[in-house]
Each structure stands twice: as C-alpha cells, then as structure tokens.
Amino acid sequence: MSAVRAPILTSVKRSLFREPAAVAAVGALLGALAVVNGVAIFRGMESPWLLGAAIVCDVIAVGLGALLAAREVMVADRRIEASDARLSAIIDSAMDAIITVNEAQNVVQFNRAAEQLFGCTQGEALGAPLERFLPQRFRAAHRAHVDKFGTTGTTSRRMGDMTTLWALRADGSEFPIEASISQTTDGERRYYTVILRDITRRKQFEEELQRSQRELRELSARVLEAREDEKTHIARELHDELGQMLTALKMDLAELRRRLPAGDNDLAGMAGGMDALLDRTVSATRRISADLRPLMLDDLGLADAADWLIQEFTKRSGIACESRLPAAEALQDTPKAVATAMYRALQESLTNIARHSGARRAWIVIEVQDGEIRMEVEDDGRGIAAADLAKARSLGLKGMRERFTFIGGGTRLRIRAPMRDALAEGAA
C-alpha cells in the first residue's frame, strides 16, 4: 500500500505475451531451437561445427529469454506504479477525507480532503498515530473498537451508528463527523481505511430544527392552554350568567302562566310552547357549556368527568360502552394540564367513533400504573386506515398527538401520560 503521492498518471506498454504475433514468433523460435539441438545430438560427432552452432543458438536463446523476462518484470513494475498512481489520484480527488492506517494504527494514507479537514499536511500525518486526530476522551475506546473490528471478519461497516463521532483538528478544535471503516489484508499485513466527512453544518441544522420544533410545541401548548382557559371562562359564563337568567325567565313564565285568564286556550298554548322552548334552551346551554369545559372536571376531577362523558356519549350515539375507570382518589393529584389532555383525548376518541367507525360497542379503560395515567379506547368498527391518518384535515388525532407529545406522553387508541405537568415544569 503506497503512501507516496504520484504527481502524474503514467502509461505502460502491454506485455509481449498478450500479443498473438509475439507469442507465435517465440513458439516458432523455440521449435527451431529444438530441431537444431536434436540434429546436433545425433550428428554432433560427425559435424563438430553443428554442435558448436547449437551451443551458440542455446546461449542466444537463453540471453533473449533473460532480456524478455527482464522486460516483463519492468512492464509489471510500471503497471503497478501506474495503478498506484491512478489509485492515489482517485483518493486525492475524493471529496471525503480518506485515512488508511496499519495494524499499529499509524497513518499510511492521507488524502487532500483529509489535509483540508484536519488542517494537517500529508507529510505531518504519515506515520503519526491515528489517535492524534481524536479527542483525548475517545482514544482508548476507539483503539479497542478498531482492534475488535479487525477480528470480526466484516469487511466494512458504518462507525457510530447510534452516536455522534468527534474528531480533532490540528488547532485543537473538535468537530462532529460521520464515518465508515473497512479492512483489507496485504499478505500478512492488515490495513484499516476510514472514510469520513465533517457534519458540523448538518448538526447545526438538526439542532436548529429540533429547537424550532420545541418552540412550536411550546407555542402549541400555550395556545391550547389559552384556549382551554377561554373555554372555561365561556362555560362558566354560560352556566352562571345565562343559566341564572334562563332560570329566572322560567320562573317568571311559570308565574305568568298561573295568572292567565281561565279558558283562554290560545294564550295558554302560547305560554306552553314558550315553556317548552325555554326548557330546550336551558338544555342546549348546559350541553354547550359542558362541551366547552365540563365544570365537573375542575370541581370533581378526571374520573367523574370521564364517567359523565361516557354516559352522555352512550345516550347521544346509542353505542354501548363498557368502561373501567379508577377511583376518584387515584386521580385527585393529576395536574390540570394532564387531566385536560386526557379528557380531550377521550372526547376526541368518542367523537371519532360516533362519526366514522360504524361501531356498535366501545370499550374504555383508564388506569394508573407506575406513576402514569394510561388510557385505551377500542371499538368494533371499521378502524382507521393509514391514508386517513395522513389526510391534511385529520386534525383531531394530530392535535391529540401534539398534546401528549408536549406533556411527555406517548399514543386500540392507547395513551399514556406522566402524572406531572411538563408545561408547568418547563415554565419553572
């Protein structure tokens, strides 16, 4: 394995043994020489000059053979040199850094890209230990990994599949890399070649993307929190203010009906219709208030609110529900954000069952286990196709996923969430 950079590519002559005419000529010459030697053996005693001529021909043939062999050796050497030159040119033209080390992990090949990447010339790198280009904290582990790779028999693999690798420039600065390693043998010697590239900009972009995603999730969580606060405010206004006014109106209407003249059927019918309409208005107000924000979620807790939601769903949809809910005491310390997220997830799940599943039965399980609230919702309907999940307007499940991703939860609908408030912890 050459460590010398060839400045140019050289062309070499073809071997004579690859030319049909040359092979035929050599064959003819050897045949003629065999004939001359045969004649000299049988008639050498009668014609001494013939024996001498045969000896001269043999000497000439041996000389020509030696010259031909020398030429073939020279051609082979120049071909090897040309091959090395081509290989060096290819390696030097590569955009990725290429470093080859021997079994002692000393550098024997260092291309131009490696020079630019590490700020080190080829002359300085050749013969130096590979550890020179690694941060101190990784050197012992890296040497052990390379030695282990040499015993596996695997010819090549990526390095650091699950972690980021780091390299060291000549000026002492560290930078992230991705790399692959291969091994080859030359006789009894083993060489390792590492192809690597600087991924500093990619890491910066990834970190920026992750930061943007975190900011978007935080913004989404704040928007959802503000939305829930506004829903709570509107629900309380509907329940307290409008509810009280409707109750007072119903009482006044009852007094008015009591004072109507006896026998006036028209007025009595009108008053009865007003009373029925008022009852429907009160029911609609309560339903809208509960849909916006069930006050029992704040007053009584998640368990009672979930039980009420399931019962209301059964009444409205006609879908039979079997539920297994924990005792109210098990969920009494659930943070507001987590309780709201679980309630909205259950609400969205039941809404999807009613709208899309065509189910006749549904099963809901909520339990507390290992410091987590876990919920499973299942039905006997048609299920959710992957194409449905990918629809741009499939916002219910996307919103559910965002809620639980932010609070540290994961998402048959199966949901688990920690019994802590990640939003409050983030703010703290």
Side-chain angles (χ1 to χ4, degrees):
M1 182 167 297
S2 175
V4 179
R5 176 179 295 161
I8 58 172
L9 295 180
T10 58
S11 61
V12 297
K13 296 180 180 179
R14 292 166 57 88
S15 169
L16 288 177
F17 291 107
R18 300 180 67 179
E19 300 291 343
V23 173
V26 170
L29 180 61
L30 291 176
L33 185 62
V35 171
V36 170
N37 279 277
V39 173
I41 290 173
F42 288 107
R43 303 190 62 180
M45 298 303 295
E46 300 176 2
S47 305
W49 63 269
L50 185 60
L51 183 61
I55 293 174
V56 171
C57 290
D58 289 342
V59 171
I60 293 174
V62 171
L64 290 175
L67 291 174
L68 183 61
R71 180 191 182 281
E72 292 299 316
V73 170
M74 291 177 63
V75 168
D77 288 342
R78 294 193 66 186
R79 184 175 291 112
I80 293 174
E81 291 175 359
S83 178
D84 287 345
R86 285 193 298 270
L87 179 60
S88 295
I90 293 171
I91 291 175
D92 276 340
S93 65
M95 297 180 65
D96 292 332
I98 300 177
I99 302 175
T100 299
V101 299
N102 55 23
E103 286 183 303
Q105 296 194 28
N106 294 324
V107 178
V108 297
Q109 182 80 44
F110 201 79
N111 71 343
R112 286 193 178 95
E115 291 180 329
Q116 297 171 358
L117 188 61
F118 289 96
C120 174
T121 65
Q122 186 189 62
E124 295 171 335
L126 293 178
L130 182 62
E131 293 177 350
R132 170 180 177 174
F133 306 104
L134 299 174
Q136 180 68 40
R137 63 187 181 280
F138 298 127
R139 292 178 180 177
H142 182 273
R143 176 172 286 275
H145 289 163
V146 173
D147 290 340
K148 183 179 179 180
F149 172 68
T151 64
T152 61
T154 304
T155 57
S156 63
R157 68 171 175 83
R158 288 191 61 185
M159 301 177 68
D161 287 340
M162 303 301 295
T163 59
T164 299
L165 302 176
W166 292 86
L168 184 68
R169 291 191 175 91
D171 61 6
S173 61
E174 297 182 9
F175 61 99
I177 61 171
E178 68 175 12
S180 61
I181 184 172
S182 62
Q183 61 175 314
T184 185
T185 56
D186 182 6
E188 296 182 355
R189 294 176 296 180
R190 188 185 302 274
Y191 295 94
Y192 303 97
T193 298
V194 179
I195 302 176
L196 54 93
R197 65 181 54 175
D198 185 354
I199 58 171
T200 300
R201 295 190 65 184
R202 184 201 301 175
K203 292 291 291 183
Q204 291 173 345
F205 292 148
E206 289 176 353
E207 291 173 358
E208 183 65 28
L209 179 60
Q210 292 173 358
R211 182 165 55 253
S212 297
Q213 290 175 337
R214 286 195 301 270
E215 292 174 353
L216 287 174
R217 284 204 168 97
E218 290 174 1
L219 177 61
S220 175
R222 299 298 178 185
V223 169
L224 289 173
E225 185 181 39
R227 184 181 177 186
E228 290 295 337
D229 290 341
E230 186 64 22
K231 283 184 175 182
T232 301
H233 174 72
I234 296 173
R236 288 199 178 276
E237 289 291 326
L238 288 173
H239 182 271
D240 297 339
E241 298 294 333
L242 186 58
Q244 290 177 10
M245 288 187 287
L246 290 173
T247 300
L249 186 59
K250 185 172 179 61
M251 293 173 62
D252 291 343
L253 181 59
E255 179 64 20
L256 180 62
R257 292 181 67 185
R258 188 178 67 80
R259 295 186 181 185
L260 286 177
D264 194 337
N265 295 330
D266 292 338
L267 288 177
M270 186 180 298
M274 292 174 62
D275 189 53
L277 178 61
L278 191 56
D279 286 340
R280 291 198 300 272
T281 303
V282 170
S283 298
T285 301
R286 290 174 179 172
R287 177 178 54 79
I288 294 172
S289 176
D291 287 341
L292 285 171
R293 175 78 178 185
L295 299 181
M296 66 176 62
L297 181 61
D298 298 323
D299 299 336
L300 301 179
L302 177 60
D304 290 326
D307 185 53
W308 173 84
L309 180 62
I310 294 170
Q311 292 181 21
E312 287 295 307
F313 169 77
T314 301
K315 289 178 185 178
R316 295 182 192 175
S317 66
I319 299 174
C321 291
E322 295 182 17
S323 61
R324 187 172 77 241
L325 307 177
E329 294 77 12
L331 299 175
Q332 64 183 1
D333 296 328
T334 305
K336 179 180 177 181
V338 176
T340 299
M342 296 297 292
Y343 180 85
R344 292 303 183 194
L346 177 58
Q347 187 179 46
E348 181 66 31
S349 302
L350 296 177
T351 300
N352 286 338
I353 291 174
R355 289 180 178 175
H356 309 298
S357 71
R360 291 180 296 177
R361 300 183 64 84
W363 296 266
I364 300 97
V365 176
I366 300 178
E367 59 185 1
V368 178
Q369 185 177 2
D370 300 329
E372 293 181 339
I373 307 176
R374 301 185 180 184
M375 179 169 66
E376 292 188 22
V377 180
E378 188 175 356
D379 64 68
D380 60 358
R382 65 175 61 95
I384 304 175
D388 295 331
L389 293 174
K391 290 180 179 178
R393 298 185 63 84
S394 180
L395 300 179
L397 293 175
K398 290 185 176 68
M400 192 188 307
R401 186 184 301 119
E402 283 300 313
R403 282 181 184 271
F404 285 92
T405 298
F406 186 80
I407 66 173
T411 171
R412 66 220 298 205
L413 172 67
R414 180 179 291 120
I415 294 173
R416 58 179 177 80
M419 293 190 67
R420 56 182 175 79
D421 189 348
L423 187 60
E425 291 180 2

XYZ file of all heavy atoms in Angstrom, residues 240-306:
494
model
N -73.282 30.145 34.664
C -73.671 31.018 35.773
C -74.584 32.148 35.313
O -75.726 32.271 35.789
C -72.418 31.596 36.446
C -71.552 30.507 37.070
O -72.077 29.414 37.326
O -70.351 30.754 37.284
N -74.098 32.964 34.378
C -74.858 34.155 33.980
C -76.094 33.786 33.170
O -77.233 34.081 33.552
C -73.960 35.100 33.173
C -72.762 35.628 33.946
C -73.187 36.532 35.090
O -74.266 37.153 34.987
O -72.452 36.606 36.088
N -75.875 33.133 32.013
C -77.003 32.796 31.157
C -77.923 31.782 31.826
O -79.154 31.852 31.698
C -76.493 32.256 29.815
C -77.552 31.990 28.745
C -78.339 33.272 28.443
C -76.894 31.447 27.469
N -77.330 30.840 32.549
C -78.146 29.853 33.255
C -79.059 30.502 34.276
O -80.239 30.134 34.400
N -78.518 31.473 35.027
C -79.344 32.160 36.014
C -80.470 32.957 35.345
O -81.616 32.969 35.823
C -78.472 33.086 36.852
C -77.534 32.355 37.801
C -76.647 33.303 38.567
O -76.864 34.514 38.529
N -75.658 32.752 39.276
N -80.138 33.630 34.232
C -81.168 34.410 33.536
C -82.262 33.507 32.980
O -83.467 33.842 33.042
C -80.531 35.239 32.425
C -79.701 36.405 32.958
S -79.104 37.505 31.666
C -77.832 36.498 30.923
N -81.874 32.378 32.436
C -82.877 31.450 31.913
C -83.730 30.882 33.034
O -84.943 30.675 32.877
C -82.192 30.320 31.137
C -81.541 30.715 29.799
C -80.766 29.532 29.228
C -82.610 31.175 28.814
N -83.104 30.608 34.164
C -83.875 30.105 35.316
C -84.880 31.149 35.795
O -86.053 30.834 36.095
C -82.909 29.726 36.455
O -82.010 28.719 35.997
C -83.687 29.200 37.652
N -84.394 32.414 35.875
C -85.312 33.494 36.279
C -86.448 33.662 35.275
O -87.619 33.868 35.648
C -84.531 34.803 36.427
N -86.122 33.562 33.983
C -87.146 33.674 32.950
C -88.165 32.554 33.056
O -89.376 32.761 32.865
C -86.465 33.664 31.582
C -87.355 33.910 30.365
C -88.058 35.271 30.481
C -86.531 33.834 29.080
N -87.690 31.350 33.377
C -88.618 30.217 33.517
C -89.549 30.431 34.708
O -90.753 30.113 34.650
C -87.817 28.919 33.672
C -88.693 27.669 33.694
C -87.838 26.425 33.662
C -88.721 25.180 33.707
N -89.638 25.082 32.565
N -89.003 30.995 35.799
C -89.830 31.264 36.972
C -90.884 32.325 36.646
O -92.059 32.201 37.046
C -88.956 31.722 38.141
C -88.024 30.622 38.650
S -86.861 31.213 39.887
C -87.987 31.739 41.175
N -90.468 33.366 35.919
C -91.427 34.416 35.534
C -92.511 33.859 34.626
O -93.693 34.231 34.723
C -90.692 35.567 34.843
C -89.806 36.335 35.804
O -90.001 36.196 37.032
O -88.902 37.063 35.327
N -92.073 32.974 33.690
C -93.056 32.383 32.784
C -94.054 31.512 33.548
O -95.256 31.484 33.226
C -92.333 31.562 31.709
C -93.214 30.893 30.653
C -94.039 31.954 29.895
C -92.368 30.081 29.671
N -93.561 30.802 34.545
C -94.469 29.974 35.348
C -95.487 30.847 36.081
O -96.689 30.508 36.164
C -93.663 29.137 36.347
N -95.024 31.991 36.618
C -95.955 32.908 37.290
C -96.943 33.497 36.294
O -98.153 33.661 36.613
C -95.151 34.013 37.985
C -95.990 35.056 38.704
C -96.792 34.476 39.861
O -96.435 33.373 40.366
O -97.790 35.106 40.274
N -96.455 33.815 35.077
C -97.337 34.370 34.054
C -98.409 33.369 33.659
O -99.596 33.724 33.495
C -96.504 34.790 32.839
C -97.283 35.396 31.657
C -97.991 36.692 32.096
C -96.336 35.674 30.495
N -98.013 32.108 33.505
C -98.991 31.072 33.140
C -100.040 30.899 34.251
O -101.210 30.631 33.982
C -98.276 29.743 32.885
C -97.410 29.750 31.642
C -96.754 28.396 31.442
N -97.760 27.359 31.122
C -97.452 26.067 30.995
N -96.190 25.673 31.173
N -98.395 25.202 30.708
N -99.583 31.054 35.495
C -100.540 30.910 36.605
C -101.586 32.021 36.601
O -102.742 31.821 36.980
C -99.763 30.921 37.930
C -100.626 30.575 39.150
C -99.773 30.572 40.390
N -99.292 31.907 40.687
C -100.006 32.866 41.299
N -101.270 32.651 41.635
N -99.464 34.048 41.545
N -101.204 33.223 36.108
C -102.118 34.367 36.137
C -102.947 34.513 34.855
O -103.721 35.467 34.734
C -101.320 35.648 36.357
C -100.630 35.697 37.709
C -99.987 37.052 37.922
N -99.301 37.110 39.205
C -98.724 38.224 39.692
N -98.785 39.356 38.981
N -98.119 38.199 40.859
N -102.729 33.645 33.901
C -103.512 33.741 32.666
C -105.000 33.532 32.968
O -105.371 32.698 33.815
C -103.034 32.698 31.652
C -101.698 32.964 30.955
C -101.344 31.799 30.051
C -101.760 34.265 30.155
N -105.853 34.246 32.219
C -107.304 34.066 32.424
C -107.719 32.642 32.103
O -107.237 32.036 31.140
C -107.942 35.058 31.440
C -106.876 36.026 31.099
C -105.574 35.292 31.229
N -108.595 32.127 32.916
C -109.088 30.763 32.674
C -109.893 30.723 31.393
O -110.644 31.629 31.076
C -109.926 30.298 33.856
N -109.696 29.689 30.600
C -110.453 29.499 29.373
C -109.817 30.123 28.151
O -110.334 29.939 27.031
N -108.726 30.889 28.310
C -108.051 31.471 27.137
C -107.036 30.451 26.613
O -105.856 30.446 26.986
C -107.363 32.779 27.525
C -106.961 33.580 26.287
O -106.812 32.941 25.220
O -106.762 34.806 26.388
N -107.508 29.550 25.741
C -106.668 28.452 25.250
C -105.517 28.921 24.369
O -104.434 28.321 24.354
C -107.532 27.451 24.479
C -108.537 26.767 25.390
O -108.280 26.589 26.581
N -109.693 26.406 24.829
N -105.750 29.998 23.622
C -104.678 30.491 22.747
C -103.473 30.953 23.562
O -102.316 30.609 23.269
C -105.189 31.639 21.885
C -106.221 31.159 20.858
O -106.193 29.942 20.556
O -106.998 31.988 20.370
N -103.734 31.772 24.575
C -102.630 32.249 25.417
C -101.985 31.097 26.192
O -100.757 31.044 26.352
C -103.133 33.307 26.387
C -103.471 34.668 25.785
C -104.031 35.601 26.854
C -102.240 35.283 25.122
N -102.795 30.174 26.630
C -102.251 29.029 27.364
C -101.347 28.185 26.456
O -100.268 27.725 26.853
C -103.402 28.180 27.924
N -101.785 27.972 25.207
C -100.953 27.212 24.274
C -99.657 27.920 23.962
O -98.581 27.304 23.861
N -99.751 29.259 23.780
C -98.542 30.035 23.511
C -97.578 29.974 24.696
O -96.360 29.798 24.525
C -98.916 31.486 23.195
C -97.737 32.345 22.767
S -98.242 34.035 22.405
C -99.361 33.750 21.033
N -98.120 30.079 25.898
C -97.271 30.020 27.089
C -96.634 28.643 27.231
O -95.470 28.502 27.617
C -98.093 30.359 28.332
N -97.399 27.592 26.894
C -96.843 26.239 26.957
C -95.704 26.052 25.962
O -94.680 25.427 26.255
N -95.886 26.587 24.756
C -94.823 26.499 23.767
C -93.579 27.246 24.209
O -92.444 26.789 23.992
N -93.795 28.437 24.803
C -92.653 29.206 25.320
C -91.934 28.430 26.407
O -90.690 28.430 26.473
C -93.143 30.554 25.857
C -93.660 31.489 24.774
S -94.373 32.993 25.471
C -92.954 33.689 26.292
N -92.701 27.734 27.267
C -92.084 26.965 28.347
C -91.243 25.814 27.787
O -90.134 25.544 28.255
C -93.177 26.431 29.278
C -92.592 25.819 30.531
O -91.789 26.497 31.223
O -92.906 24.643 30.826
N -91.784 25.127 26.761
C -91.038 24.019 26.152
C -89.763 24.525 25.471
O -88.682 23.912 25.566
C -91.925 23.287 25.147
N -89.894 25.672 24.758
C -88.720 26.251 24.109
C -87.677 26.677 25.134
O -86.471 26.503 24.928
C -89.149 27.455 23.259
C -88.024 28.202 22.534
C -87.314 27.269 21.563
C -88.603 29.411 21.791
N -88.148 27.201 26.249
C -87.230 27.610 27.307
C -86.506 26.400 27.892
O -85.300 26.463 28.177
C -88.015 28.350 28.393
C -87.196 29.075 29.463
C -86.231 30.061 28.833
C -88.123 29.788 30.441
N -87.217 25.289 28.050
C -86.565 24.061 28.546
C -85.481 23.589 27.579
O -84.388 23.179 27.998
C -87.615 22.962 28.742
C -88.490 23.200 29.966
O -88.057 23.969 30.845
O -89.600 22.640 30.021
N -85.798 23.634 26.283
C -84.797 23.215 25.298
C -83.601 24.164 25.315
O -82.445 23.737 25.136
C -85.422 23.162 23.893
C -86.433 22.031 23.721
C -86.690 21.741 22.246
N -87.222 22.906 21.559
C -88.529 23.194 21.485
N -89.417 22.412 22.084
N -88.941 24.258 20.820
N -83.852 25.453 25.524
C -82.759 26.422 25.575
C -81.862 26.157 26.782
O -80.629 26.232 26.694
C -83.321 27.852 25.634
O -84.176 28.068 24.508
C -82.204 28.872 25.624
N -82.471 25.850 27.906
C -81.684 25.526 29.112
C -80.839 24.278 28.874
O -79.648 24.235 29.209
C -82.629 25.334 30.322
C -81.850 24.767 31.515
C -83.288 26.651 30.702
N -81.434 23.253 28.254
C -80.693 22.012 27.977
C -79.539 22.273 27.008
O -78.425 21.759 27.194
C -81.636 20.949 27.405
O -82.637 20.621 28.329
N -79.824 23.079 25.956
C -78.764 23.381 24.980
C -77.641 24.172 25.636
O -76.455 23.946 25.341
C -79.358 24.158 23.807
N -78.017 25.101 26.527
C -76.997 25.892 27.214
C -76.112 24.998 28.075
O -74.885 25.140 28.083
C -77.666 26.969 28.087
O -78.470 27.810 27.259
C -76.621 27.798 28.799
N -76.731 24.067 28.788
C -75.948 23.143 29.614
C -75.040 22.253 28.751
O -73.891 21.989 29.100
C -76.880 22.273 30.444
C -77.606 23.046 31.546
C -78.611 22.167 32.237
N -79.297 22.874 33.320
C -80.341 22.389 33.995
N -80.832 21.186 33.669
N -80.893 23.092 34.960
N -75.592 21.785 27.622
C -74.784 20.924 26.746
C -73.604 21.680 26.163
O -72.474 21.186 26.152
C -75.658 20.361 25.628
C -74.910 19.513 24.604
C -75.853 18.960 23.556
N -76.639 19.999 22.929
C -76.166 20.804 21.954
N -74.914 20.677 21.528
N -76.955 21.716 21.420
N -73.856 22.897 25.679
C -72.769 23.701 25.102
C -71.722 24.016 26.162
O -70.515 23.943 25.918
C -73.335 24.994 24.485
C -74.218 24.655 23.288
C -72.200 25.920 24.058
C -74.975 25.846 22.746
N -72.174 24.347 27.359
C -71.253 24.645 28.446
C -70.395 23.425 28.786
O -69.183 23.532 28.982
C -72.034 25.104 29.681
O -71.174 25.307 30.773
N -71.045 22.258 28.825
C -70.300 21.033 29.146
C -69.321 20.670 28.042
O -68.214 20.185 28.305
C -71.277 19.890 29.386
N -69.713 20.900 26.784
C -68.801 20.604 25.679
C -67.585 21.534 25.697
O -66.472 21.127 25.378
C -69.536 20.738 24.344
C -70.507 19.588 24.106
O -70.341 18.548 24.783
O -71.402 19.728 23.267
N -67.838 22.792 26.037
C -66.721 23.734 26.101
C -65.749 23.358 27.209
O -64.540 23.307 26.999
C -67.249 25.152 26.330
C -67.889 25.844 25.133
C -68.543 27.139 25.562
C -66.832 26.116 24.061
N -66.268 23.122 28.367
C -65.432 22.744 29.501
C -66.336 22.205 30.597
O -67.067 22.962 31.236
C -64.665 23.951 30.031
C -63.850 23.678 31.293
C -62.557 22.951 30.967
N -61.764 22.724 32.174
C -60.538 22.182 32.158
N -59.987 21.841 31.006
N -59.879 21.991 33.267
N -66.338 20.887 30.806
C -67.179 20.349 31.879
C -66.689 20.844 33.231
O -65.541 20.604 33.613
C -67.006 18.832 31.728
C -65.692 18.666 31.055
C -65.534 19.848 30.154
N -67.524 21.565 33.924
C -67.110 22.146 35.197
C -66.765 21.070 36.214
O -65.959 21.307 37.125
C -68.224 23.051 35.729
C -68.567 24.242 34.813
C -69.666 25.086 35.449
C -67.332 25.085 34.536
N -67.339 19.876 36.033
C -67.005 18.810 36.973
C -65.555 18.355 36.824
O -64.989 17.785 37.755
C -67.961 17.626 36.778
C -67.845 16.913 35.446
S -68.930 15.476 35.368
C -70.526 16.238 35.530
N -64.920 18.615 35.663
C -63.508 18.279 35.515
C -62.678 19.087 36.499
O -61.704 18.576 37.060
C -63.052 18.546 34.079
C -61.596 18.212 33.747
C -61.313 16.731 33.960
C -61.279 18.592 32.300
N -63.039 20.336 36.699
C -62.341 21.169 37.666
C -62.840 20.939 39.085
O -62.063 20.986 40.040
C -62.509 22.650 37.300
C -61.910 22.976 35.940
O -60.860 22.415 35.613
O -62.511 23.788 35.213
N -64.149 20.677 39.215
C -64.732 20.574 40.555
C -64.600 19.179 41.150
O -64.330 19.034 42.344
C -66.212 20.975 40.514
C -66.387 22.428 40.059
O -65.422 23.207 40.228
O -67.468 22.764 39.544
N -64.808 18.128 40.318
C -64.842 16.761 40.837
C -63.663 15.905 40.389
O -63.403 14.866 40.986
C -66.152 16.080 40.414
C -67.439 16.770 40.893
C -68.651 16.004 40.395
C -67.463 16.892 42.410
N -62.997 16.297 39.314
C -61.822 15.547 38.884
C -62.045 14.742 37.613
O -63.157 14.646 37.077
N -60.948 14.143 37.138
C -60.949 13.454 35.852
C -61.842 12.222 35.845
O -62.539 11.961 34.863
C -59.513 13.064 35.478
C -59.318 12.262 34.194
C -59.834 13.032 32.983
C -57.841 11.898 34.001
N -61.824 11.446 36.918
C -62.593 10.195 36.925
C -64.083 10.463 36.749
O -64.752 9.836 35.913
C -62.334 9.435 38.233
N -64.640 11.396 37.516
C -66.072 11.697 37.398
C -66.396 12.342 36.062
O -67.447 12.067 35.466
C -66.497 12.621 38.543
C -66.498 11.913 39.893
O -66.814 10.707 39.917
O -66.165 12.544 40.904
N -65.513 13.218 35.583
C -65.754 13.863 34.295
C -65.744 12.836 33.169
O -66.577 12.885 32.247
C -64.704 14.935 34.039
N -64.808 11.873 33.200
C -64.756 10.829 32.169
C -65.992 9.952 32.229
O -66.561 9.580 31.184
C -63.494 9.991 32.349
